[in-house]
Amino acid sequence: MNFDHWRDRYGWIIGALIILTAIVIIIAQFRSTRPTRSFTLVALATGFGIGGLLFVPSVPRILTALRHFLITREPMATSGPFQVTAVNAVLLASAANDPTIFVQIWYPAAANVPATDLLSESVTPVACSKVMDDCRLSDTRSQFPILLYAPWNGGAKDDNASTAAELASHGYVVMAIDDIDRDPRSPTATDDWQPLTFDFSSAEAFKTTLRIGDRKVRRQAEKALTALDQLKACANADWRTRIQFDRIGFFGFSIGGSAAAEAGTFDPRVVAVANLDGWLFGRAAFGALDKPYLVILTENAVFPTPRQLQSPNPNKRFEAVLTARDLREEMRLANRPAGYGYHVLESFHENLSDEIFKRRFSKSWLLTNPYRVKAIRDSYLLAFFDTYVRNKPSPLLTQSPSPFREVEVLKANEYWLKEAAKSTVQSSAASN
């Protein structure tokens, strides 16, 4: 951790403590009958100076955190040229065995369609046929690419609504699904479906986690692609001719990113995959993904140490094993010609979704500016999909160093490549 990173993350706390200590000394001196010595005055002046240098730069972030705590709201302002609206829709089965799927669709709207601020899960979904009657695409462009989105483990389809709106404002149709574990289970279901819980408490529990994870990302990917089929089946002439159903991007947060990667291994319509800080499972974890790929990792995504890989604590050991396996594959994917990887130093896992704007994460707002990280994730997603879905290359992807000071570029990064090579050796040794 370099000094600038340390100062931005923790300096304000040290600065505040120094200033408070100086104030306490002043109060004690004021109450004391003994004269104040020159040394004390110099020390106080130095304390206020150092404390101010550490604390003052963080004042805007602290004020932003306090304001956001009082008015908790996802940032829905967009930067693109298109007016955006959204709808909660019901996609009815197009084949006998297909499920009914609830989705949220963000799209560039015609000028006379009311703009949508933020849809909540309480908004009543409407039938797809009704969507086609009421939702007119913008008339200013003839073709719109479509992006699929999958949320975190157990998450709802609106967990990245602000990013969906941002992408839609630049001419994308974004369709999001709920996590498959939220779907109602039929009482007559005969499969042995289990929700995914990350259990690292024993070797057997770890194997079960991997097995369920592999199965889940496949089903999640199939659900999203079935939703795409159902949307196309119910689309009216305008949507069917103007949306590129055969050339799509797929992105997701956490396990949703894993599902996006898995979809890229078996469906030719998926031409670009973006993974927001998700462990890879299924075929994608073992080299089967050959599509253009973007991964954004948060600060804690680092290669584990040999001590962690050999820890007597199974929870620490097996989590380290999975992290090492994942990061080696992420580095391989990011260092291909059509691969990109970025490590956001001042961020938490939840920073890559709108979950970070919920009040339960308010403590993190004092350490990391959630609006800044949102701008980073949105910028890289837009650049990536513009390049590989729309075929309009963006220079942001190849800029190194990144124009964002918090971002570490993983492509051709000597330190990360060495860590990946070391991890291969360490993991082989740990398994022997």
Side-chain angles (χ1 to χ4, degrees):
M1 183 182 294
N2 60 39
F3 175 76
D4 290 339
H5 182 204
W6 176 88
R7 182 195 61 199
D8 290 343
R9 194 72 180 274
Y10 304 110
W12 69 275
I13 301 174
I14 306 299
L17 291 174
I18 292 173
I19 292 171
L20 288 173
T21 301
I23 291 172
V24 170
I25 293 173
I26 289 173
I27 294 172
Q29 286 291 322
F30 180 76
R31 292 182 175 180
S32 174
T33 57
R34 298 169 60 184
T36 303
R37 294 187 298 175
S38 298
F39 173 78
T40 303
L41 294 174
V42 171
L44 288 171
T46 303
F48 276 114
I50 295 174
L53 286 172
L54 292 172
F55 181 77
V56 171
S58 298
V59 168
R61 185 170 69 209
I62 294 170
L63 293 176
T64 298
L66 292 173
R67 176 173 59 83
H68 184 61
F69 185 81
L70 295 173
I71 308 174
T72 305
R73 186 179 179 85
E74 289 88 344
M76 296 306 296
T78 57
S79 65
F82 290 96
Q83 174 179 292
V84 176
T85 193
V87 61
N88 281 330
V90 182
L91 302 179
L92 300 178
S94 56
N97 296 326
D98 286 345
T100 296
I101 301 176
F102 296 86
V103 298
Q104 190 167 93
I105 304 171
W106 297 85
Y107 64 97
N112 62 343
V113 176
T116 299
D117 186 7
L118 176 64
L119 287 178
S120 69
E121 286 295 283
S122 62
V123 175
T124 303
V126 298
C128 184
S129 57
K130 179 67 172 173
V131 171
M132 294 299 118
D133 291 338
D134 296 344
C135 301
R136 286 185 51 237
L137 296 168
S138 172
D139 299 322
T140 60
R141 185 175 291 174
S142 61
Q143 290 281 302
F144 294 101
I146 189 167
L147 306 176
L148 302 180
Y149 175 77
W152 59 287
N153 192 35
K157 54 188 171 288
D158 63 348
D159 80 346
N160 239 324
S162 69
T163 290
E166 174 65 12
L167 292 169
S169 79
H170 288 272
Y172 290 92
V173 175
V174 182
M175 182 167 68
I177 61 169
D178 287 323
D179 182 82
I180 200 167
D181 287 346
R182 298 173 72 96
D183 294 346
R185 300 295 297 160
S186 169
T188 60
T190 57
D191 61 1
D192 58 347
W193 178 255
Q194 294 174 267
L196 175 61
T197 57
F198 293 100
D199 186 352
F200 304 118
S201 60
S202 67
E204 190 61 35
F206 182 45
K207 289 179 182 178
T208 300
T209 294
L210 295 179
R211 176 178 57 79
I212 296 175
D214 292 345
R215 187 179 181 188
K216 174 168 184 172
V217 297
R218 179 73 183 207
R219 286 201 176 184
Q220 187 83 326
E222 290 171 346
K223 175 183 175 179
L225 294 165
T226 298
L228 181 69
D229 293 335
Q230 293 177 357
L231 179 65
K232 183 178 180 180
C234 84
N236 61 22
D238 183 49
W239 278 59
R240 191 170 299 169
T241 57
R242 298 177 65 199
I243 293 179
Q244 299 169 333
F245 286 101
D246 60 346
R247 183 179 176 82
I248 68 168
F250 198 153
F251 71 110
F253 166 57
S254 195
I255 197 69
S258 311
E262 188 67 9
T265 68
F266 68 86
D267 195 306
R269 292 174 295 179
V270 180
V271 298
V273 170
N275 177 3
L276 302 178
D277 208 31
W279 276 322
L280 293 172
F281 288 92
R283 298 178 67 233
F286 296 97
L289 180 62
D290 60 0
K291 305 290 177 62
Y293 181 74
L294 165 73
V295 63
I296 301 179
L297 303 174
T298 49
E299 184 170 300
N300 288 334
V302 293
F303 280 100
T305 64
R307 184 176 180 179
Q308 290 171 318
L309 288 167
Q310 299 170 11
S311 172
N313 183 327
N315 284 292
K316 293 181 179 179
R317 183 171 69 255
F318 290 120
E319 183 174 357
V321 169
L322 180 56
T323 298
R325 184 192 84 171
D326 179 72
L327 290 179
R328 287 195 300 272
E329 183 61 13
E330 300 289 8
M331 283 299 294
R332 188 192 72 80
L333 289 166
N335 280 276
R336 297 175 306 141
Y340 305 90
Y342 307 96
H343 186 221
V344 186
L345 295 175
E346 298 173 13
S347 64
F348 298 94
H349 182 61
E350 291 78 16
N351 275 115
L352 297 185
S353 79
D354 288 348
E355 290 296 301
I356 196 65
F357 297 104
K358 294 182 178 178
R359 190 166 278 131
R360 68 175 181 271
F361 294 108
S362 58
K363 290 181 181 178
S364 73
W365 305 337
L366 295 171
L367 300 175
T368 298
N369 185 338
Y371 299 95
R372 173 75 174 177
V373 181
K374 171 182 154 46
I376 291 170
R377 84 182 187 229
D378 290 355
S379 296
Y380 278 110
L381 283 170
L382 180 61
F384 177 69
F385 288 128
D386 276 354
T387 300
Y388 291 103
V389 177
R390 189 170 276 156
N391 289 325
K392 292 185 177 180
S394 170
L396 176 61
L397 292 179
T398 55
Q399 280 186 256
S400 184
S402 170
F404 300 102
R405 60 175 178 76
E406 305 92 336
V407 173
E408 191 177 14
V409 178
L410 301 185
K411 186 184 283 291
N413 186 305
E414 189 173 326
Y415 170 79
W416 277 79
L417 288 170
K418 286 181 178 178
E419 288 297 303
K422 283 166 50 180
S423 174
T424 302
V425 175
Q426 290 165 358
S427 294
S428 298
S431 61
N432 292 330

